[in-house]
Amino acid sequence: MNVSKYLPLTETTFYIMLALRKAGHGYAVMQKVEELSKGRVRIAAGTMYGAIENLMKQKMIVSVPSEDARRKVYQLSPMGHEILALEVERLKNLVEVYEQTESEEV
């Protein structure tokens, strides 16, 4: 499967996937995203659950068993890990190009 078709990720999707490297329920993911982004990215509940539904359809995350029957717990799938790693590599390349051109301008 060509996973590069999912790139680039939106900032919100990137943070959700980053948060789901460790299993968590929707509300915990919302809190983790806010923490990771230092309060810059806040996700409303409706947006969160829409994003989770899309990520499930795209097989980037999976539902995992939970001790609390009231909450659904998710985590990144192996394909999700691969896509997240590709996105990080893409972002690193962008920064590298920026840094190279910055030194040329001085």
Side-chain angles (χ1 to χ4, degrees), residues 20 23-29 48-49 52-53 56 61-75:
L20 286 174
H25 55 78
Y27 183 69
V29 172
M48 180 71 225
Y49 291 103
I52 284 177
E53 187 177 322
M56 291 277 293
I61 63 172
V62 293
S63 179
V64 294
S66 169
E67 292 178 10
D68 185 347
R70 297 172 300 162
R71 293 183 165 171
K72 290 185 178 180
V73 176
Y74 308 92
Q75 74 179 35

Side-chain angles (χ1 to χ4, degrees), residues 28-46:
V29 172
M30 291 166 56
Q31 291 178 315
K32 186 71 175 175
V33 166
E34 191 169 336
E35 175 192 326
L36 290 170
S37 69
K38 299 178 180 158
R40 201 171 47 78
V41 176
R42 293 183 179 163
I43 303 172

